[in-house]
Amino acid sequence: MTKQIINSKKAVMVGCGFVGSASVFALMQSGLFTEIVLIDADKNKAEGEAMDISHGVPFASPMKIYAGDYDDAADAAIVIISAGAGQKPGETRLDLVNKNVAIFKSIIPEIAKRNFAGIMLVVANPVDILTQVAIKLSGLPENRVIGSGTVLDSARLRYRLGEHLSVDSRSVHAFIVGEHGDSEVVAWSSANVSGVPLSEICEMRGHYKHKKTRKK
């Protein structure tokens, strides 16, 4: 089997829903790629989103954005999987497992059989489980299949902390760890603002006071 050539400036998005389309728009603005391909079960949807986003190129870096198919994934540096059933009211992310595993079974093997040699990024829910599913279905090594994990959760935490403390959220360093879902937790002990522990900042600002006791 010949070694696949990777185009380091090419990205593929599989799934053109809200997350997929917003991500492609962000990639267009970033200028990281010169070629972005959109793939969706609804080809018309992919073509429409590609055209809309392409109209922003005059205000960004030169690039080609178009609707394609799985053959376009062969030489891509990264394939992002955002396809999947949406979370309905009352459903947990774990409730989506069966539906989205079935969808992945129709997507991942198609990418794998093109001798894909890049990185696969999973952003569909439940992301932790589907990332493991993608590893098994693709046959790719674990270091080339990545889940978005708790990146969004951590970003939301940093923003809210910055808002609460009236500081630039870019200076807030805090992380949510664990599964992207109801079981995730905040790593409060490592949270800080520009290196100053969050506990010290809260104490200085009087958000809470330590109660000291002494033996009589």
Side-chain angles (χ1 to χ4, degrees), residues 7 19 39 48 50-52 54 63 98 109 114 118-119 123-124 130 147 160 166-167 176 201-202:
N7 180 351
V19 173
I39 301 174
M51 285 191 290
D52 281 347
S54 293
M63 68 187 71
N98 292 332
R114 265 72 178 185
I119 298 294
V123 296
L130 291 180
R160 291 302 300 272
S166 298
V167 299
I176 288 181
I201 293 175
C202 290

Side-chain angles (χ1 to χ4, degrees), residues 20-213:
S21 299
S23 298
V24 172
F25 180 73
L27 289 176
M28 180 271 287
Q29 290 184 309
S30 74
L32 290 172
F33 301 97
T34 57
E35 186 175 355
I36 305 176
V37 187
L38 282 71
I39 301 174
D40 196 274
D42 183 347
K43 187 66 179 286
N44 291 331
K45 171 71 172 173
E47 290 177 348
E49 293 293 345
M51 285 191 290
D52 281 347
I53 297 171
S54 293
H55 296 164
V57 170
F59 304 100
S61 303
M63 68 187 71
K64 183 179 179 182
I65 302 173
Y66 60 95
D69 54 37
Y70 291 111
D71 286 338
D72 293 300
D75 63 340
I78 184 169
V79 170
I80 306 165
I81 313 292
S82 69
Q87 190 173 345
K88 296 180 181 179
E91 278 188 324
T92 67
R93 292 183 177 91
L94 292 178
D95 291 331
L96 301 174
V97 170
N98 292 332
K99 288 185 283 188
N100 285 347
V101 166
I103 292 172
F104 267 44
K105 286 181 177 178
S106 68
I107 294 173
I108 307 299
E110 289 295 326
I111 297 171
K113 72 165 100 173
R114 265 72 178 185
N115 194 22
F116 172 64
I119 298 294
M120 184 177 291
L121 174 62
V122 179
V123 296
N125 282 318
V127 65
D128 305 280
I129 294 173
L130 291 180
T131 301
Q132 291 299 313
V133 170
I135 290 173
K136 292 183 178 180
L137 291 176
S138 67
L140 295 173
E142 292 184 357
N143 64 335
R144 285 175 48 204
V145 183
I146 304 169
S148 55
T150 55
V151 171
L152 176 60
D153 314 76
S154 295
R156 287 170 172 164
L157 173 66
R158 291 174 61 189
Y159 176 80
R160 291 302 300 272
L161 285 173
E163 189 177 46
H164 181 70
L165 298 170
S166 298
V167 299
D168 190 330
S169 59
R170 291 172 298 178
S171 298
V172 178
H173 305 282
F175 301 94
I176 288 181
V177 297
E179 181 189 18
H180 175 57
D182 296 336
S183 63
E184 63 191 17
V185 296
V186 180
W188 291 115
S189 61
S190 64
N192 68 85
V193 178
S194 297
V196 180
L198 185 62
S199 57
E200 290 185 18
I201 293 175
C202 290
E203 188 171 2
M204 286 188 292
R205 295 192 177 190
H207 288 289
Y208 64 80
K209 295 180 179 179
H210 292 295
K211 292 182 178 180
K212 297 182 179 180
T213 59

Side-chain angles (χ1 to χ4, degrees), residues 1-20:
M1 183 181 293
T2 58
K3 186 176 181 180
Q4 181 64 269
I5 297 175
I6 298 177
N7 180 351
S8 62
K9 289 292 187 176
K10 181 178 181 180
V12 172
M13 174 64 70
V14 181
C16 297
F18 293 122
V19 173

